């Protein structure tokens, strides 16, 4: 049985949940091409913008302007009074669809990408081969976008860099979905990364980490994509909590004292793009 309460139904595929500067939950719906903001207290929801090439990761510059990943054309867009404008072009770094994003307090954005056509690979051969220890995913780079929109490589050869979070000690944690691990980096004053090491190995638990959220104690909440549950993981890989969801969980956020989970029957476009089976689910922490 699910431990969560269903907050909202009728999504196609929710992703990139974040608590916004105004306290609302912001999230993307891939196949409705919308970024929305939801007041968890009142249930009132607003469409913030439409992203024709599919929205994903979200974040804010220090002055409050919204950044959103435009997946299929591999760009980061910025919301101005007149609408969305290009903030950064990732085509020189992203080798397939751009995806999740973390924007830090300085306005620096770290942006991951698929690395290859994952959906086509699953459609052709299923998920089974990717679960085998001998299968190695193509590597790709994590992009660093500075507040002025300039782009550089933050780290190379990650296996589907996905959800990200900052630990209380300032380290960056990246979910390497197809390496079945969380990877940590030291962050320099200029935003560059070093000291790469495994934060938590997750293959033995069958967890391909998708979206993540870091809590105040340094625990990392992980959406495992293939399972209807969210896990809290500590450094070293110990799982300290499990929260059951009604459907497979693809992304998580901490909003106030609640864990918000984006769930759906699948991530395959042919299964979810034409339906409205996605949900937002919440759990009181």
């Amino acid at each position: 049985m699910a431990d969560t309460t269903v907050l909202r139904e009728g999504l196609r595929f929710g992703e990139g949940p974040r608590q916004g500067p105004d306290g609302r939950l912001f999230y993307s719906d891939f196949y409705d091409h919308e970024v929305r903001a939801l007041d968890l207290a009142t249930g009132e929801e607003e469409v913030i913008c439409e992203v024709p090439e599919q929205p994903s990761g979200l974040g804010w510059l220090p002055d409050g302007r919204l950044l959103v990943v435009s997946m299929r054309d591999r760009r980061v867009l910025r919301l101005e009074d007149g609408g969305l404008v290009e903030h950064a072009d990732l085509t020189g770094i992203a080798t397939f669809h751009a995806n999740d994003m973390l924007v830090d307090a300085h306005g620096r954005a770290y942006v991951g990408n698929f690395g290859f056509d994952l959906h086509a690979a699953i459609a052709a051969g299923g998920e089974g081969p990717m679960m085998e220890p001998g299968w190695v995913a193509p590597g790709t780079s994590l992009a660093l976008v500075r507040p002025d929109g300039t782009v550089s490589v933050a780290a190379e050869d990650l296996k589907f860099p996905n959800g990200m979070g900052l630990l209380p000690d300032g380290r960056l944690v990246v979910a390497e979905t197809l390496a079945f691990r969380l990877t940590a980096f030291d962050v320099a004053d200029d935003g560059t990364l070093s000291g790469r090491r495994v934060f938590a190995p997750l293959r033995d638990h069958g967890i391909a980490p998708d979206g993540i959220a870091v809590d105040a104690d340094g625990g990392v909440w992980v959406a495992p994509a293939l399972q209807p549950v969210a896990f809290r993981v500590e450094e070293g890989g110990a799982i300290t909590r499990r929260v059951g969801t009604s459907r497979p969980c693809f992304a998580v956020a901490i909003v106030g004292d609640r864990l918000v989970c984006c769930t759906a029957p699948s991530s395959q476009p042919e299964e979810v793009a034409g339906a409205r089976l996605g949900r937002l689910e919440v759990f009181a922490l």
Side-chain angles (χ1 to χ4, degrees):
M1 291 182 63
D3 300 308
T4 54
T5 299
V6 175
L7 178 67
R8 178 156 168 71
E9 297 189 274
L11 282 64
R12 295 187 191 273
F13 190 82
E15 257 286 9
R18 287 277 190 267
Q19 180 169 341
D22 60 7
R24 291 185 295 174
L25 170 71
F26 285 68
Y27 71 97
S28 296
D29 191 320
F30 277 12
Y31 305 115
D32 267 344
H33 305 278
E34 292 179 346
V35 176
R36 304 179 186 130
L38 176 64
D39 187 318
L40 297 187
T42 66
E44 294 181 4
E45 188 170 75
E46 176 188 4
V47 175
I48 301 298
C49 59
E50 296 184 3
V51 181
E53 294 300 322
Q54 204 166 295
S56 184
L58 306 172
W60 289 265
L61 293 170
D63 62 9
R65 287 177 295 172
L66 176 70
L67 298 181
V68 53
V69 170
S70 181
M71 297 182 67
R72 296 187 303 203
D73 57 356
R74 307 177 200 182
R75 295 190 296 162
V76 177
L77 306 179
R78 186 178 68 249
L79 185 60
E80 300 284 358
D81 289 341
L84 291 169
V85 299
E86 180 176 291
H87 183 69
D89 182 350
L90 307 176
T91 55
I93 292 178
T95 51
F96 203 67
H97 293 344
N99 191 29
D100 218 330
M101 175 172 66
L102 174 83
V103 182
D104 70 12
H106 304 284
R108 298 179 299 226
Y110 299 90
V111 190
N113 73 92
F114 282 41
F116 71 111
D117 192 342
L118 174 65
H119 295 314
I122 292 174
E127 296 159 346
M130 299 178 191
M131 302 296 289
E132 297 298 326
W135 187 83
V136 179
T140 192
S141 295
L142 182 71
L144 168 59
V145 179
R146 301 189 184 281
D148 64 359
T150 56
V151 182
S152 61
V153 172
E156 297 180 311
D157 194 28
L158 286 94
K159 312 301 185 183
F160 200 141
N162 210 327
M164 286 166 278
L166 285 170
L167 295 167
D169 63 10
R171 286 179 296 162
L172 177 72
V173 175
V174 181
E176 287 193 78
T177 301
L178 295 178
F180 297 85
R181 67 186 173 218
L182 302 178
T183 298
F185 295 89
D186 296 321
V187 182
D189 290 342
D190 64 357
T192 56
L193 305 181
S194 64
R196 177 175 179 169
R197 64 270 206 190
V198 175
F199 179 86
L202 299 173
R203 184 179 290 275
D204 287 349
H205 300 291
I207 297 173
D210 193 328
I212 66 172
V214 177
D215 65 28
D217 297 320
V220 180
W221 286 91
V222 175
L226 303 178
Q227 304 170 51
V229 64
F231 297 97
R232 184 183 185 274
V233 178
E234 294 191 340
E235 188 163 10
I239 293 175
T240 58
R241 294 185 73 179
R242 293 172 171 82
V243 173
T245 55
S246 69
R247 291 172 180 169
C249 182
F250 292 92
V252 289
I254 296 172
V255 180
D257 61 354
R258 285 183 276 189
L259 180 72
V260 179
C261 303
C262 295
T263 68
S266 167
S267 64
Q268 286 296 98
E270 64 271 19
E271 296 181 34
V272 296
R276 292 193 176 276
L277 302 175
R279 291 174 171 172
L280 295 177
E281 307 183 30
V282 296
F283 177 79
L285 295 173

